[in-house]
Amino acid sequence: MISWLPMGFEEALRITLDTIKPLGKETIPLSQATGRILAQTLISTIDSPSIDASLKDGYAVVSGDLASASPGTPVHLSLAGMVAAAGGAQTRGLLPGTAMRILTGAEIPRGADAVLAEEFTDVSGKILVARNSAGQGRNIMPRGTDVEKGQCIAQKGDSIIPGLAGIIAASGFNEMSVFKQPRVAIIATGDEVVAPGKPLPQGKLYASNMVTLSAFCRQWGMETLLFTAKDDPREIRNVLEKTMDHSDAIITSGGAWTGDRDLVAKILLELGWKKAFHRIRIGPGKAVGFGMLDQIPVFILPGGPPSNLMGFLQIAFPGLRALAGYQRPGLPTMRAALASDLHGRDSEWTQFIFGMIDLKGDTPLFRSLGQKGRLQSMAKATAIASIPEGTTGISQGTMIAIQVLSF
């Protein structure tokens, strides 16, 4: 490797994730836990279901009584009552030669070992005419089928997805300990940027980068605080000092390079920022930086929209998710074939390309949006492909792992 080159992407990402530790824990209701990361292991304290329950509306029977039953040779059983309440406690037992009406979810009476579905029956007075057999265990959900007492339901570090939330509820939990989601301060710097909603003077532009980054954070459940600051050392310093008291992480947008007005890194160092890196070998986004400021992760992002967003998605976003306890904090990935050749600029750099996922055929395709687009191309992007270091291109049709932004 050439010594003057900035740090490589993989090393920068490793340093970021090794440096950042999850935030503290909080206890929240299960109804609010979807998408959060467990800070405890959950062990079921109950069986679910808590009884042997019927899977059908029908009749609880002794399976041996119906061994010979068929449409041509029905078996007649005496009706001994009804299990009317789904989930209701039962005290009566069932004797051979009898049957009991039962509803879905109701407890199987003592002595019964099968449920005959009602479509195979007729009733004449207090006699059940059974026109089919019912083997032992037929249409019965045994106690603990879904969850057994003492079973590990979820491990610390697991993400609570909707299906897991259902099992957690079935196990008797209504609240649990999760890692806190970070509150992220996003500071757009530059004399030219104006906060959305304010009048736009001639020659200025709205801080769209700030809004895009905030949208990604909020999509993943993070709270954001938005600020703008002119290219003035005192103003930038004041905003940084203010955000330190109210945020768990800070992202700056703009002022990340080495020009006369690129002041962010200099001011951060004056405040005590412990720089881990500043500039890495990725394109777009090489001016990205990371370090800690009084235990607060601070990410420096360049101002150009493609560089800004890519630096965020590849470095800052995994770092923020690591704060929230994610064990795999990067963007989700999938396999797709390239719809066209991808070309990188330099084998010493990792090149990232915005694109779209095409799911119309048998094989998912990644269609590049090119490397020159700004806001309109970025707005259409649903995925990102990469050309890793040591490679200058990837051929059409090659299956690669792509990062998924949306479908």
Side-chain angles (χ1 to χ4, degrees):
M1 181 183 297
I2 301 174
S3 60
W4 55 262
L5 284 175
M7 182 182 295
F9 168 66
E10 294 293 342
E11 183 180 4
L13 181 58
R14 176 185 59 77
I15 289 173
T16 301
L17 299 182
D18 285 349
T19 302
I20 291 177
K21 306 303 177 187
L23 296 172
K25 306 171 185 178
E26 61 181 343
T27 299
I28 62 173
L30 177 58
S31 61
Q32 300 174 16
T34 303
R36 301 293 292 274
I37 302 298
L38 277 170
Q40 67 176 114
T41 294
L42 300 180
I43 306 296
S44 179
T45 59
I46 63 170
D47 289 323
S48 180
S50 59
I51 56 172
D52 293 340
S54 177
L55 291 170
K56 292 269 191 175
D57 288 348
Y59 295 87
V61 297
V62 177
S63 60
D65 288 342
L66 301 184
S68 63
S70 70
T73 57
V75 170
H76 296 74
L77 301 174
S78 298
L79 283 174
M82 181 175 185
V83 186
Q90 303 302 320
T91 58
R92 290 184 296 169
L94 187 70
L95 298 175
T98 66
M100 189 174 291
R101 175 67 169 153
I102 193 168
L103 301 181
T104 302
E107 184 175 2
I108 303 299
R110 295 188 314 277
D113 64 356
V115 171
L116 180 63
E118 62 183 346
E119 58 262 33
F120 300 115
T121 65
D122 292 304
V123 175
S124 178
K126 292 188 177 182
I127 299 297
L128 175 70
V129 180
R131 295 179 279 100
N132 202 0
S133 61
Q136 187 174 11
R138 177 75 61 83
N139 296 322
I140 293 177
M141 181 165 58
R143 175 175 179 159
T145 295
D146 290 330
V147 179
E148 293 183 346
K149 183 177 181 179
Q151 179 182 347
C152 179
I153 300 305
Q155 298 276 2
K156 179 180 178 180
D158 285 349
S159 176
I160 302 176
I161 59 176
L164 180 58
I167 290 292
I168 291 173
S171 302
F173 293 95
N174 186 47
E175 60 181 25
M176 66 283 307
S177 177
V178 298
F179 291 107
K180 292 181 179 178
Q181 283 273 38
R183 176 183 289 186
V184 185
I186 304 174
I187 307 170
T189 68
D191 291 339
E192 75 281 8
V193 297
V194 177
K198 294 185 177 180
L200 187 67
Q202 182 73 23
K204 306 291 185 178
L205 53 84
Y206 284 119
S208 61
N209 287 345
M210 178 178 69
V211 174
T212 301
L213 302 185
S214 176
F216 270 102
C217 290
R218 289 187 171 272
Q219 177 179 324
W220 291 92
M222 306 174 204
E223 182 181 351
T224 57
L225 305 170
L226 306 184
F227 303 89
T228 59
K230 296 185 182 301
D231 288 322
D232 175 83
R234 183 177 298 177
E235 184 170 342
I236 294 173
R237 185 185 185 99
N238 288 341
V239 173
L240 284 168
E241 289 178 334
K242 179 167 63 176
T243 59
M244 288 172 61
D245 296 329
H246 303 286
S247 59
D248 302 303
I250 298 172
I251 296 174
T252 65
S253 174
W257 199 234
T258 56
D260 293 341
R261 296 188 178 184
D262 293 319
L263 306 170
V264 173
K266 178 182 177 181
I267 295 168
L268 281 170
L269 290 169
E270 292 173 355
L271 290 171
W273 184 55
K274 294 180 174 60
K275 181 180 72 173
F277 56 82
H278 186 194
R279 301 182 190 90
I280 62 176
R281 298 197 308 275
I282 66 171
K286 64 182 177 182
V288 65
F290 164 71
M292 300 296 291
L293 180 62
D294 287 348
Q295 307 306 310
I296 299 174
V298 179
F299 301 92
I300 297 176
L301 300 180
S307 296
N308 181 273
L309 182 55
M310 197 64 78
F312 169 80
L313 292 173
Q314 304 307 325
I315 296 294
F317 178 75
L320 296 176
R321 296 247 290 171
L323 272 180
Y326 283 84
Q327 296 180 339
R328 293 178 294 278
L331 289 165
T333 62
M334 65 177 288
R335 301 284 295 178
L338 295 180
S340 60
D341 294 345
L342 294 183
H343 300 286
R345 68 174 191 177
D346 191 324
S347 64
E348 295 287 348
W349 293 66
T350 300
Q351 188 74 44
F352 292 97
I353 300 100
F354 287 111
M356 300 178 67
I357 303 170
D358 184 343
L359 299 175
K360 295 177 183 177
D362 294 334
T363 300
L365 292 177
F366 174 85
R367 299 189 182 279
S368 171
L369 288 170
Q371 300 175 18
K372 298 180 180 180
R374 283 172 62 95
L375 295 182
Q376 291 194 38
S377 291
M378 289 162 51
K380 297 176 182 177
T382 57
I384 297 170
S386 64
I387 304 173
E389 284 188 33
T391 305
T392 57
I394 307 176
S395 300
Q396 177 182 354
T398 303
M399 293 292 295
I400 65 169
I402 60 172
Q403 297 173 325
V404 178
L405 301 176
S406 65
F407 285 101

